[in-house]
Amino acid sequence: MSRFAAGFYSIVVMSFLVFGCSSDTAEWQEEVKLYDGRVVTVMQKRRYESAYAGGSVHLSQIVREAWIKVKLAETGNKEIEWHENLIPRRLDAWKGNLVIVGDPPTSLEYDKYGKQEPIQIALKYKDGSWQRMKFEEIPREIYDTNLVVKHRLPAGMTFLTLVEKESRQFNGDPYLSKESMTIVPMRSNFYREKN
């Protein structure tokens, strides 16, 4: 192998290691307060990929998949699993249906879900399957986020109580934007098509 080929091969391998898509998962249980006042425990699992964040050289963790498992009276106390390429923001029971609202983390997911505007995607569990809802169908009463906003819990933490979730370490962080704490009709910044 020539020196040029060996050097090129080394650069390719190092680039993959530094900027490539390494993947890992995190799983935890979380207490969630529903609109009607009930507190339920859900299981959350998220798969992350490391990615180049741009600008200065550092890596970022992007949520690529999320799972939620929950049992509610509305679903006959059967465990229901939600699995999407979204960051879940709200879980609730509304008019007899389980509803989960999430955001696409990047333009890849924004494209996958049809470049919907506003970007929030709502799904309801009805008749044994998840069905997409129009943004206008999301009740304003459930606009406030009730799932943990930060993408990852501290290492070793496997259960998040309501009190902990509302602390400064999580959803009570004064530096979190209003957009991250409510389901506001947000427009996309993802690769807008030029007219």
Side-chain angles (χ1 to χ4, degrees), residues 15-194:
S15 295
F16 181 78
L17 291 174
V18 173
F19 302 113
C21 295
S22 64
S23 178
D24 72 303
T25 60
E27 190 172 328
W28 66 89
Q29 290 186 315
E30 174 180 340
E31 289 183 335
V32 177
K33 187 172 184 178
L34 305 180
Y35 177 73
D36 64 11
R38 285 181 288 167
V39 176
V40 298
T41 299
V42 303
M43 187 285 299
Q44 276 217 56
K45 179 180 174 183
R46 295 183 186 178
R47 184 180 67 82
Y48 305 88
E49 284 183 2
S50 294
Y52 175 64
S56 63
V57 178
H58 75 281
L59 297 178
S60 170
Q61 292 263 296
I62 297 172
V63 177
R64 286 294 185 201
E65 291 180 275
W67 293 259
I68 293 179
K69 290 181 183 178
V70 63
K71 289 181 186 180
L72 294 175
E74 288 80 356
T75 62
N77 288 315
K78 292 188 322 186
E79 185 174 78
I80 304 301
E81 182 176 68
W82 176 88
H83 174 214
E84 294 291 331
N85 300 104
L86 300 168
I87 301 170
R89 298 283 186 209
R90 179 75 188 205
L91 175 145
D92 223 308
W94 189 260
K95 295 188 178 179
N97 296 308
L98 173 59
V99 175
I100 298 180
V101 182
D103 299 339
T106 70
S107 63
L108 180 70
E109 292 80 11
Y110 173 69
D111 291 348
K112 176 184 175 179
Y113 287 93
K115 299 180 180 181
Q116 174 177 305
E117 298 285 344
I119 65 170
Q120 294 83 359
I121 306 294
L123 295 116
K124 66 181 171 186
Y125 190 80
K126 185 175 180 181
D127 299 326
S129 66
W130 288 101
Q131 299 171 14
R132 184 113 170 233
M133 299 169 62
K134 294 178 183 173
F135 181 85
E136 298 77 28
E137 295 176 306
I138 304 170
R140 290 189 182 274
E141 292 86 349
I142 65 168
Y143 269 24
D144 290 336
T145 299
N146 68 351
L147 295 166
V148 68
V149 173
K150 298 217 173 173
H151 297 303
R152 195 176 199 101
L153 299 184
M157 188 172 200
T158 59
F159 190 84
L160 184 64
T161 67
L162 280 175
V163 172
E164 290 169 323
K165 191 184 332 186
E166 297 308 316
S167 73
R168 292 177 64 93
Q169 185 178 6
F170 297 104
N171 290 7
D173 184 340
Y175 295 105
L176 289 173
S177 67
K178 178 184 177 187
E179 290 80 16
S180 66
M181 297 307 296
T182 60
I183 300 165
V184 294
M186 231 168 30
R187 310 291 300 165
S188 166
N189 296 348
F190 300 129
Y191 303 102
R192 290 200 176 272
E193 294 178 337
K194 295 179 182 169

